Amino acid sequence: MKLCPVPTEPIPILVGGHAEGALRRAARLGDGWVHGGGDPAELPRLLARLQELRREAGRADEPFEIHVISLDAYTPDGVRRLEDQGVTDVIVGFRDPYVREQDTESLDDKLTPLRRFAGDVIANVR
């Protein structure tokens, strides 16, 4: 497959999943890992295992993205806690992704939580 236009930089390959095989693939072959959510108490174990597998693969010192879904992502202190654990990116949402009905929310109503997040979290983390 050819991309047109051709990217000027390599495109990162992120591997998702919590199973041992997914963590091994991410550590050995990926440029990063994508967390799928779930029990918040499980995240530190997944991150520690991922780092262990990266060391085993000889890749511990290479750049590596870690994208996480966590309620911690909604506060500056929470973002800092995630960063301290090696998280590079947080995944946030302001609408239930499992709602199947037609979206009738106005653009203004969608922008309100985004602006609040930008002012309350992003502005206080950088």
Side-chain angles (χ1 to χ4, degrees):
M1 175 175 85
K2 285 188 165 184
L3 297 177
C4 186
V6 175
T8 57
E9 297 179 18
I11 297 172
I13 304 297
L14 306 179
V15 178
H18 296 190
E20 181 70 13
L23 296 173
R24 283 188 184 283
R25 272 188 297 284
R28 192 173 33 113
L29 303 170
D31 298 306
W33 175 70
V34 179
H35 176 242
D39 182 355
E42 186 71 5
L43 181 59
R45 184 196 68 78
L46 292 168
L47 294 172
R49 182 63 178 146
L50 190 57
Q51 293 308 324
E52 181 182 348
L53 292 167
R54 291 187 68 230
R55 278 192 302 276
E56 288 175 11
R59 300 190 64 213
D61 295 329
E62 294 179 19
F64 193 79
E65 297 178 22
I66 298 177
H67 297 239
V68 168
I69 298 169
S70 171
L71 290 176
D72 274 345
Y74 293 91
T75 68
D77 288 341
V79 170
R80 288 185 196 99
R81 281 191 298 273
L82 292 170
E83 186 176 39
D84 288 346
Q85 295 178 72
V87 172
T88 60
D89 297 83
V90 295
I91 302 166
V92 297
F94 303 98
R95 182 175 188 268
D96 184 348
Y98 300 105
V99 171
R100 308 273 307 165
E101 296 87 40
Q102 181 177 353
D103 181 5
T104 59
E105 191 175 32
S106 72
L107 179 58
D108 282 339
D109 287 343
K110 290 177 181 178
L111 290 173
T112 297
L114 290 172
R115 287 185 179 119
R116 187 176 315 116
F117 182 77
D120 294 348
V121 179
I122 295 172
N124 292 302
V125 172
R126 296 190 170 228

